[in-house]
Amino acid sequence: MGMSDPISVRDLVIESQRFSKPNPYEIFLGAYFNDEAPNRTIWYTGRSFLSLPDSKIAEITNVKNVCDYFMKLSICDARGDILAGPVWLEPNESTGEFNMHNADANWGAYGPESGTFTGKDLKLKIGISWKISD
């Protein structure tokens, strides 16, 4: 591959940018409010966007609770049904419960009742460590 071949050089640049995702990948789980109780909830949801190109998968190697709140964490399907977990996590605690699952996932957690967040951001935070898998 020579420098005079612009397609090859471009492909190299694009390939190196494809996998520039943070590791661990941190996401927030936001409060999911029920219409019948709009200011109170204990259920939080979020999505980790770790889709990789070329049929590669971002496989979970560790998940850590990186917020100040105790939570019961699960991987869920698009309807919110639990696929893996739940596992209880103290603040700064890690788990291998979700290892080998696709890191491009929906998450759900039971956390503190939202009334305890008065004047604060209504979010929980997790860190997902991952590796590239075929």
Side-chain angles (χ1 to χ4, degrees):
M1 167 182 344
M3 291 303 289
S4 63
D5 185 355
I7 294 173
S8 295
V9 172
R10 186 194 72 206
D11 289 346
L12 284 175
V13 171
I14 290 170
E15 186 67 26
S16 69
Q17 291 174 351
R18 286 182 181 171
F19 300 110
S20 61
K21 307 263 185 187
N23 196 358
Y25 182 76
E26 294 187 351
I27 66 163
F28 287 100
L29 306 177
Y32 181 81
F33 292 107
N34 182 322
D35 292 338
E36 295 172 14
N39 296 317
R40 302 186 73 156
T41 190
I42 59 170
W43 182 245
Y44 298 81
T45 61
R47 174 132 176 91
S48 49
F49 294 99
L50 278 165
S51 295
L52 301 177
D54 302 328
S55 302
K56 303 286 185 196
I57 295 172
E59 182 180 300
I60 296 172
T61 59
N62 187 58
V63 176
K64 183 177 182 179
N65 176 356
V66 292
C67 70
D68 296 330
Y69 305 100
F70 187 61
M71 72 173 78
K72 186 177 182 182
L73 184 65
S74 302
I75 290 179
C76 303
D77 65 16
R79 295 183 317 229
D81 294 330
I82 294 172
L83 299 175
V87 62
W88 285 103
L89 293 172
E90 296 278 351
N92 295 310
E93 184 178 6
S94 295
T95 182
E97 177 74 23
F98 307 107
N99 289 7
M100 300 175 58
H101 284 273
N102 190 336
D104 187 30
N106 293 303
W107 297 88
Y110 287 102
E113 200 275 332
S114 62
T116 63
F117 286 107
T118 303
K120 299 178 185 173
D121 196 11
L122 301 175
K123 294 178 183 172
L124 304 179
K125 189 175 182 183
I126 60 173
I128 303 161
S129 297
W130 56 277
K131 67 178 183 178
I132 296 172
S133 180
D134 291 319

mmCIF file of all heavy atoms in Angstrom, residues 1-13:
data_model
loop_
_atom_site.group_PDB
_atom_site.id
_atom_site.type_symbol
_atom_site.label_atom_id
_atom_site.label_comp_id
_atom_site.label_asym_id
_atom_site.label_seq_id
_atom_site.Cartn_x
_atom_site.Cartn_y
_atom_site.Cartn_z
ATOM 1 N N MET A 1 0.851 -1.154 0.000
ATOM 2 C CA MET A 1 0.000 0.000 0.000
ATOM 3 C C MET A 1 0.904 1.225 0.000
ATOM 4 O O MET A 1 1.664 1.448 0.912
ATOM 5 C CB MET A 1 -0.864 -0.083 1.251
ATOM 6 C CG MET A 1 -1.587 1.158 1.562
ATOM 7 S SD MET A 1 -2.575 1.086 3.104
ATOM 8 C CE MET A 1 -2.725 -0.597 3.522
ATOM 9 N N GLY A 2 0.822 2.001 -1.033
ATOM 10 C CA GLY A 2 1.675 3.177 -1.159
ATOM 11 C C GLY A 2 0.958 4.443 -0.763
ATOM 12 O O GLY A 2 -0.262 4.493 -0.685
ATOM 13 N N MET A 3 1.700 5.482 -0.522
ATOM 14 C CA MET A 3 1.126 6.773 -0.150
ATOM 15 C C MET A 3 0.354 7.390 -1.306
ATOM 16 O O MET A 3 -0.451 8.269 -1.108
ATOM 17 C CB MET A 3 2.222 7.734 0.317
ATOM 18 C CG MET A 3 2.841 7.337 1.650
ATOM 19 S SD MET A 3 1.640 7.182 2.978
ATOM 20 C CE MET A 3 1.226 8.889 3.228
ATOM 21 N N SER A 4 0.607 6.905 -2.521
ATOM 22 C CA SER A 4 -0.098 7.453 -3.674
ATOM 23 C C SER A 4 -1.492 6.853 -3.829
ATOM 24 O O SER A 4 -2.238 7.254 -4.694
ATOM 25 C CB SER A 4 0.723 7.223 -4.950
ATOM 26 O OG SER A 4 0.864 5.838 -5.169
ATOM 27 N N ASP A 5 -1.842 5.886 -3.014
ATOM 28 C CA ASP A 5 -3.148 5.246 -3.093
ATOM 29 C C ASP A 5 -4.091 5.878 -2.059
ATOM 30 O O ASP A 5 -4.121 5.465 -0.905
ATOM 31 C CB ASP A 5 -3.001 3.741 -2.822
ATOM 32 C CG ASP A 5 -4.299 2.989 -3.009
ATOM 33 O OD1 ASP A 5 -5.339 3.632 -3.248
ATOM 34 O OD2 ASP A 5 -4.272 1.744 -2.903
ATOM 35 N N PRO A 6 -4.873 6.906 -2.452
ATOM 36 C CA PRO A 6 -5.688 7.639 -1.472
ATOM 37 C C PRO A 6 -6.780 6.790 -0.831
ATOM 38 O O PRO A 6 -7.148 7.020 0.301
ATOM 39 C CB PRO A 6 -6.287 8.791 -2.281
ATOM 40 C CG PRO A 6 -6.195 8.369 -3.701
ATOM 41 C CD PRO A 6 -5.022 7.430 -3.794
ATOM 42 N N ILE A 7 -7.284 5.770 -1.509
ATOM 43 C CA ILE A 7 -8.332 4.934 -0.926
ATOM 44 C C ILE A 7 -7.774 4.132 0.247
ATOM 45 O O ILE A 7 -8.369 4.061 1.301
ATOM 46 C CB ILE A 7 -8.954 4.017 -1.998
ATOM 47 C CG1 ILE A 7 -9.697 4.868 -3.026
ATOM 48 C CG2 ILE A 7 -9.883 2.995 -1.358
ATOM 49 C CD1 ILE A 7 -10.202 4.110 -4.214
ATOM 50 N N SER A 8 -6.603 3.554 0.097
ATOM 51 C CA SER A 8 -6.002 2.773 1.168
ATOM 52 C C SER A 8 -5.686 3.646 2.380
ATOM 53 O O SER A 8 -5.934 3.254 3.514
ATOM 54 C CB SER A 8 -4.710 2.102 0.693
ATOM 55 O OG SER A 8 -5.013 1.166 -0.316
ATOM 56 N N VAL A 9 -5.168 4.824 2.156
ATOM 57 C CA VAL A 9 -4.855 5.726 3.258
ATOM 58 C C VAL A 9 -6.146 6.127 3.965
ATOM 59 O O VAL A 9 -6.235 6.092 5.191
ATOM 60 C CB VAL A 9 -4.084 6.967 2.753
ATOM 61 C CG1 VAL A 9 -3.935 7.987 3.866
ATOM 62 C CG2 VAL A 9 -2.723 6.553 2.215
ATOM 63 N N ARG A 10 -7.160 6.470 3.219
ATOM 64 C CA ARG A 10 -8.447 6.844 3.809
ATOM 65 C C ARG A 10 -9.032 5.691 4.619
ATOM 66 O O ARG A 10 -9.514 5.870 5.722
ATOM 67 C CB ARG A 10 -9.427 7.272 2.714
ATOM 68 C CG ARG A 10 -10.746 7.802 3.328
ATOM 69 C CD ARG A 10 -11.844 7.908 2.328
ATOM 70 N NE ARG A 10 -12.243 6.521 2.020
ATOM 71 C CZ ARG A 10 -12.794 6.132 0.905
ATOM 72 N NH1 ARG A 10 -13.031 6.990 -0.055
ATOM 73 N NH2 ARG A 10 -13.110 4.878 0.698
ATOM 74 N N ASP A 11 -8.981 4.477 4.088
ATOM 75 C CA ASP A 11 -9.514 3.319 4.795
ATOM 76 C C ASP A 11 -8.798 3.098 6.124
ATOM 77 O O ASP A 11 -9.424 2.744 7.119
ATOM 78 C CB ASP A 11 -9.411 2.061 3.942
ATOM 79 C CG ASP A 11 -10.390 2.076 2.770
ATOM 80 O OD1 ASP A 11 -11.316 2.913 2.779
ATOM 81 O OD2 ASP A 11 -10.224 1.258 1.854
ATOM 82 N N LEU A 12 -7.502 3.317 6.158
ATOM 83 C CA LEU A 12 -6.754 3.176 7.405
ATOM 84 C C LEU A 12 -7.218 4.192 8.442
ATOM 85 O O LEU A 12 -7.397 3.870 9.608
ATOM 86 C CB LEU A 12 -5.255 3.349 7.161
ATOM 87 C CG LEU A 12 -4.531 2.176 6.529
ATOM 88 C CD1 LEU A 12 -3.078 2.553 6.241
ATOM 89 C CD2 LEU A 12 -4.578 0.968 7.438
ATOM 90 N N VAL A 13 -7.429 5.414 8.027
ATOM 91 C CA VAL A 13 -7.882 6.459 8.934
ATOM 92 C C VAL A 13 -9.273 6.129 9.458
ATOM 93 O O VAL A 13 -9.546 6.199 10.652
ATOM 94 C CB VAL A 13 -7.865 7.840 8.245
ATOM 95 C CG1 VAL A 13 -8.534 8.882 9.114
ATOM 96 C CG2 VAL A 13 -6.437 8.244 7.926
#
